[in-house]
């Protein structure tokens, strides 16, 4: 066998075996996409006022359309959220912030133009920040 024949035979065997291996190889990928603001624990859905309907969610918020005034929507949450463990931490003309041990709920109310009185409600649920003093020091 000449050196060129040996090289050709070796290349043939290497090519044939790599081709056979490539045909029988398998490759698996598992991908899990998590939202950028994922919080530990179970997602929380706040109750909706009667006659409210859910609209397609925004990137970081739920959106509701409530048939009624912003004051009526506010009263609904003022009467409902304390029973779920929330307490009011901030009240502004356009919204309110409610907190409990694990989460913070920001509610924004804005009037919607139309033939009947309606209010748009944005609901943002965020994990509560743990105060730095509450984190045990590591040694």
């Amino acid at each position: 066998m000449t050196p060129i024949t040996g090289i050709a035979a070796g290349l043939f065997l290497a090519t044939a075996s790599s081709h056979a291996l490539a045909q029988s190889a398998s490759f698996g990928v598992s991908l899990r996409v998590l939202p950028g603001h994922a919080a530990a624990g179970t997602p929380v859905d706040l109750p909706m006022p009667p006659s409210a309907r859910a609209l397609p969610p925004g990137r970081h918020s739920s959106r509701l359309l409530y048939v009624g005034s912003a004051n009526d929507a506010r009263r609904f949450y003022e009467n409902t959220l304390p029973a779920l463990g929330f307490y009011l931490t901030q009240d502004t003309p356009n919204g309110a912030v409610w907190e409990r041990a694990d989460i913070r709920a920001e509610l924004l109310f804005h009037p919607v133009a139309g033939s009947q009185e309606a209010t748009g409600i944005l609901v943002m649920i965020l994990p509560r920040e743990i105060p730095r003093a509450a984190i045990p020091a590591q040694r």
Side-chain angles (χ1 to χ4, degrees), residues 34-39 44 56-63 104-108 121-127:
L34 298 174
H37 64 283
V44 176
R59 183 173 178 171
H60 299 292
S61 64
S62 299
R63 299 183 313 166
R104 170 186 174 111
E106 295 183 28
L107 301 154
L108 297 175
I121 305 171
L122 290 176
V123 180
M124 293 164 281
I125 306 290
L126 304 166

Side-chain angles (χ1 to χ4, degrees), residues 27-82:
F27 183 73
V29 174
S30 176
L31 180 65
R32 186 171 160 201
V33 178
L34 298 174
H37 64 283
T42 308
V44 176
D45 288 326
L46 295 183
M48 293 190 330
S51 76
R53 79 183 165 130
L55 299 174
R59 183 173 178 171
H60 299 292
S61 64
S62 299
R63 299 183 313 166
L64 306 174
L65 178 61
Y66 172 65
V67 179
S69 71
N71 287 334
D72 291 342
R74 282 177 174 271
R75 270 192 294 283
F76 170 80
Y77 286 108
E78 289 169 359
N79 293 329
T80 305
L81 293 181

